[in-house]
Amino acid sequence: MAGKRDLLSMRDVREDLVGLLELAGSIKNRTKAGEPYEPLRGRSLAMIFEKASTRTRVSFEVGMTQLGGHALFLSPNDLQIGRGETIADTARVLSRYVDGIMYRAFKNENVRELANHATVPVINGLDDREHPCQIISDLFTIQERKGKLSGLKLAYVGDGNNVCNSLLLGCAIVGMDMTAGCPAGYEPDPDLLEEARRLAKPSGSTIDVVSDPASAAREADIVYTDVWVSMGQEREKEEREKLFRSYQVNAKLLDRAKSDAMVMHCLPAHRGLEITDDVIDGPQSIVIDQAENRLHAQKAILARFLAGV
Ligand code: CP
Ligand code: NVA
């Protein structure tokens, strides 16, 4: 298919992120009103998961069904990829059967390799560098709650990981200020940070990385955290849990933020580590609404990338 469009990075939506969030809002309203909306009738999405997933798997599968289409869950243990078939051949063959491929991978290079050889759109369902579907959805959630994006301050506290990298790019694109508070050696990817700073210039928003969690959280409208040990880093668990201890989002840290600050976490959460029970279950936490919006935002992504809506 000529001119197919992939969603591998937040960079891929820099031109139409605002429109995509509007589309998510209208799709959510139609769903809540019980109005059928089926632009993907008869279309199929292949979903390759190299790693575990609750939200991404279920929201993409349900989303495809609600849009009139169908999704297939594929694990590398069952695919011939697990027995040595190349990613390139898999991409070429799947492209003859399905209308799009969602891929959750260990390595960003593998997502790029799949996209290079697929003739249908490829959507990154999380890799070691980015998690764009999560961040598009999170920006939709913030806009829904606060009525705006530009001018807000998001504090990300913890590991400078895939979620943090995509948040930096996303905040820069929509003109939100973001400060990441990360321990030395666990800062976000330097190239993506530089890209975020470049993208932030036209809107005049600031993108900062600091090592002090309390100063990151100061006067924030949103306090966001994620796990200290991402999938694929299990061997570093012990040292990470020790090193990140002072980066916990707890009541004391939340006190640094604005009094109406919202607490966000992409989930799954490790309670008692990166976030305490009282905070994640407290009145400022919006994590379950945040998770719900994966469904609505990804339906917008699917409608746009697979059907050009
Ligand atoms: N936030 C997120 O992507 O969750 P899953 O790993 O459950 O898909
Ligand atoms: N940073 C986490 C996000 C999980 C949704 C990971 O990669 O495991």
Side-chain angles (χ1 to χ4, degrees):
M1 189 203 304
K4 66 126 175 172
R5 187 178 170 200
D6 301 315
L7 172 54
L8 308 186
S9 161
M10 284 304 290
R11 287 184 279 214
D12 299 324
V13 289
R14 67 182 178 275
E15 303 296 339
D16 66 343
L17 183 51
V18 172
L20 197 55
L21 301 181
E22 267 169 33
L23 180 62
S26 82
I27 291 178
K28 181 170 179 177
N29 289 340
R30 291 172 91 146
T31 309
K32 296 284 179 189
E35 236 181 84
Y37 175 63
E38 301 189 333
L40 298 185
R41 192 178 275 276
R43 315 246 182 141
S44 298
L45 177 76
M47 308 191 298
I48 307 175
F49 280 94
E50 286 178 5
K51 301 172 177 172
S53 171
T54 298
R55 282 143 288 270
T56 306
R57 177 177 174 181
V58 177
S59 56
F60 265 105
E61 186 161 338
V62 171
M64 276 303 287
T65 305
Q66 291 183 358
L67 292 168
H70 162 254
L72 300 97
F73 170 77
L74 304 168
S75 129
N77 297 333
D78 306 320
L79 289 172
Q80 296 286 9
I81 272 187
R83 299 178 58 250
E85 185 167 20
T86 65
I87 290 177
D89 282 347
T90 306
R92 292 180 186 112
V93 172
L94 287 179
S95 297
R96 300 291 176 98
Y97 300 138
V98 301
D99 304 282
I101 307 172
M102 199 237 57
Y103 185 18
R104 169 167 287 196
F106 280 101
K107 292 193 191 137
N108 176 260
E109 301 95 88
N110 290 351
V111 181
R112 293 192 176 276
E113 170 85 356
L114 189 90
N116 285 341
H117 296 279
T119 54
V120 297
V122 171
I123 297 171
N124 180 353
L126 176 148
D127 62 27
D128 54 343
R129 272 167 79 83
E130 282 207 55
H131 195 359
C133 297
Q134 178 73 52
I135 276 47
I136 293 168
S137 171
D138 292 342
L139 293 172
F140 173 58
T141 303
I142 296 167
Q143 189 168 47
E144 196 177 43
R145 291 278 181 148
K146 296 274 185 191
K148 62 173 184 178
L149 292 170
S150 172
L152 296 175
K153 178 189 169 182
L154 184 144
Y156 176 92
V157 179
D159 187 19
N161 61 15
N162 43 11
V163 168
C164 179
N165 288 334
S166 287
L167 271 171
L168 289 167
L169 294 169
C171 288
I173 294 167
V174 299
M176 274 170 70
D177 292 336
M178 173 168 167
T179 304
C182 310
Y186 295 87
E187 293 97 347
D189 180 275
D191 295 339
L192 294 180
L193 176 62
E194 197 185 305
E195 173 81 6
R197 287 191 166 135
R198 203 180 57 73
L199 289 169
K201 273 206 184 117
S203 67
S205 72
T206 37
I207 300 293
D208 271 331
V209 179
V210 298
S211 59
D212 175 29
S215 78
R218 193 169 302 138
E219 287 300 302
D221 297 284
I222 298 115
V223 177
Y224 197 122
T225 190
D226 183 19
V227 293
W228 294 337
V229 183
S230 284
M231 292 179 278
Q233 298 172 334
E234 290 75 9
R235 269 180 305 177
E236 300 168 34
K237 186 174 178 327
E238 215 174 309
E239 79 189 78
R240 281 175 169 267
E241 286 182 1
K242 221 180 284 165
L243 212 137
F244 280 96
R245 209 165 283 160
S246 58
Y247 291 78
Q248 183 182 67
V249 174
N250 51 31
K252 189 163 167 240
L253 189 80
L254 193 55
D255 264 353
R256 301 286 179 145
K258 288 194 180 149
S259 57
D260 64 348
M262 307 187 302
V263 173
M264 299 181 75
H265 190 311
C266 59
L267 303 179
H270 291 85
R271 290 159 174 263
L273 293 175
E274 77 271 6
I275 194 160
T276 53
D277 279 325
D278 58 327
V279 169
I280 197 168
D281 297 329
Q284 288 170 259
S285 169
I286 58 163
V287 299
I288 304 300
D289 290 341
Q290 180 187 355
E292 176 190 328
N293 277 338
R294 294 290 302 280
L295 172 65
H296 309 298
Q298 283 161 195
K299 283 169 71 180
I301 292 169
L302 288 165
R304 178 145 300 180
F305 282 75
L306 269 56
V309 171

